[in-house]
Amino acid sequence: MNWENLKDDLEAKVDLHIHSSFSDSDLTIEDIFKIARLKGLSAIAITDHDTVDGMDEAKRYSAIYGIELIEGIELSTQKDDTEIHMLGYFLDSSNLKLKEELANIRKLRKDRLCGMIEKLNQLGFNLDEGAILSRIKGAMPTRLHLALELVRKGRVKTLREGFAKYLSPGKPGYLSRFKYSVKEGIELIKNYGGLAFLAHPQLIPEKSWIEEFIALGIDGLEIAYPRLSTAKTLLYKEMADKFGILKSGGSDAHGSYKEFIQIGEVFVPYAWVVEMKKRINISK
């Protein structure tokens, strides 16, 4: 197979980190593909938090808009008391066992959200759990949904303020919710046909952890990311090259919930996708 002929232009733009309304964005799947076409993207990965529920719809719009879909996920894992996010690419989103695993995570996320509501209500917030869950509908429950409620109730002015005052580690409304260790998260992604990448490594508190995760078997690092300095980008590129692992990147767009960055404003070349396909020996 001549992988270099998979696309006419290996420098075509690709955004490999996008969230939809199936997790914590206000963009529908069709919105995402419309914007991707306007931005001239050749391929995109939808990487919702702990869910692949949007993939069937994404496959339809991929065909309609002529933009390649890379099936993805952003999986929450844990090291010590720190949350570590793993990006999974090319998972088999139709696998029933994978869906069962993710259904368990949905329950944990719901239980966590209800626990955080209870903590805030003990502080006198008077939040309506039923109303919040009703507004979430079929999306994966996240802290973002609780931050939206705090804004709606006038308890904070912005989502950022909600996280900073109440919903981040160490704050009065926060509860941790972890199912997988980093090792288990990597294994889950690989067990269902995917490649595991460390998301936004600049948020990892100890650089030595990154090498530890590489030793555990991650396939790559996310080295292109909003507001990532040139020095950090170069550092992670050199690490990827040193250890012979792959590179990824994207906008981490969340629609209007993360206004400072939109789909396609951070992108990587399609050649990086080709390298991923070489690694797992598939052709799209």
Side-chain angles (χ1 to χ4, degrees):
M1 168 69 72
N2 184 355
W3 293 97
E4 302 306 305
N5 290 332
L6 286 176
K7 287 282 179 178
D8 292 334
D9 183 4
L10 293 180
E11 296 303 313
K13 296 191 297 183
V14 175
D15 188 339
L16 298 176
H17 195 160
I18 300 172
H19 294 275
S20 82
S21 55
F22 281 89
S23 66
D24 55 347
S25 169
D26 58 354
L27 292 175
T28 67
I29 299 293
E30 185 175 17
D31 290 336
I32 290 169
F33 278 93
K34 284 181 177 178
I35 296 169
R37 186 164 68 178
L38 287 172
K39 294 295 182 71
L41 296 176
S42 175
I44 61 172
I46 295 177
T47 53
D48 283 326
H49 290 286
D50 299 331
T51 183
V52 292
D53 286 352
M55 287 304 134
D56 287 343
E57 189 174 339
K59 289 173 187 176
R60 293 198 301 273
Y61 285 113
S62 171
I64 291 169
Y65 286 91
I67 295 171
E68 181 178 354
L69 170 69
I70 296 159
E71 297 181 52
I73 194 169
E74 187 169 3
L75 191 69
S76 302
T77 70
Q78 164 188 0
K79 177 175 172 59
D80 300 334
D81 293 325
T82 301
E83 189 165 347
I84 307 293
H85 288 182
M86 288 288 159
L87 290 163
Y89 298 116
F90 298 103
L91 289 90
D92 177 10
S93 65
S94 62
N95 188 291
L96 294 180
K97 288 185 178 180
L98 172 61
K99 291 183 177 182
E100 288 175 7
E101 292 259 18
L102 299 179
N104 291 332
I105 295 179
R106 179 183 294 275
K107 183 180 184 306
L108 288 173
R109 277 190 172 272
K110 179 183 176 183
D111 291 346
R112 176 211 200 183
L113 190 71
C114 292
M116 293 176 74
I117 292 169
E118 182 178 352
K119 290 190 73 171
L120 291 173
N121 282 343
Q122 290 171 355
L123 298 175
F125 276 53
N126 195 30
L127 302 175
D128 187 332
E129 177 185 299
I132 294 171
L133 293 176
S134 177
R135 275 190 279 273
I136 292 173
K137 297 179 181 177
M140 181 65 74
T142 70
R143 287 180 293 158
L144 179 281
H145 297 107
L146 189 48
L148 286 168
E149 187 69 10
L150 296 182
V151 173
R152 189 178 292 112
K153 287 279 190 177
R155 291 287 184 167
V156 296
K157 292 182 179 179
T158 66
L159 297 175
R160 185 183 296 273
E161 182 186 356
F163 278 93
K165 285 187 175 180
Y166 301 107
L167 305 179
S168 294
K171 301 304 179 181
Y174 182 79
L175 279 177
S176 63
R177 176 219 51 86
F178 296 115
K179 178 174 175 60
Y180 299 107
S181 68
V182 171
K183 183 175 185 292
E184 289 168 334
I186 293 168
E187 289 173 350
L188 181 143
I189 290 169
K190 290 174 175 285
N191 285 344
Y192 295 104
L195 296 171
F197 282 65
L198 178 62
H200 32 69
Q202 73 275 14
L203 301 182
I204 305 300
E206 300 288 342
K207 181 186 173 186
S208 62
W209 288 10
I210 300 176
E211 293 194 15
E212 180 182 330
F213 302 155
I214 292 171
L216 289 175
I218 61 171
D219 297 290
L221 295 177
E222 184 176 46
I223 73 166
Y225 192 82
R227 298 180 175 175
L228 187 62
S229 70
T230 301
K232 287 282 190 179
T233 299
L234 181 59
L235 170 66
Y236 300 133
K237 179 183 183 299
E238 289 175 346
M239 288 186 71
D241 291 341
K242 174 183 176 181
F243 290 99
I245 60 175
L246 301 167
K247 298 181 284 289
S248 178
S251 62
D252 196 9
H254 287 70
S256 68
Y257 298 155
K258 202 171 185 178
E259 295 180 352
F260 68 85
I261 191 69
Q262 300 300 317
I263 291 169
E265 290 185 28
V266 173
F267 59 87
V268 299
Y270 189 82
W272 290 11
V273 176
V274 171
E275 292 304 312
M276 292 181 189
K277 291 179 176 183
K278 288 179 181 179
R279 184 66 56 94
I280 54 178
N281 195 29
I282 66 171
S283 174
K284 293 287 185 182

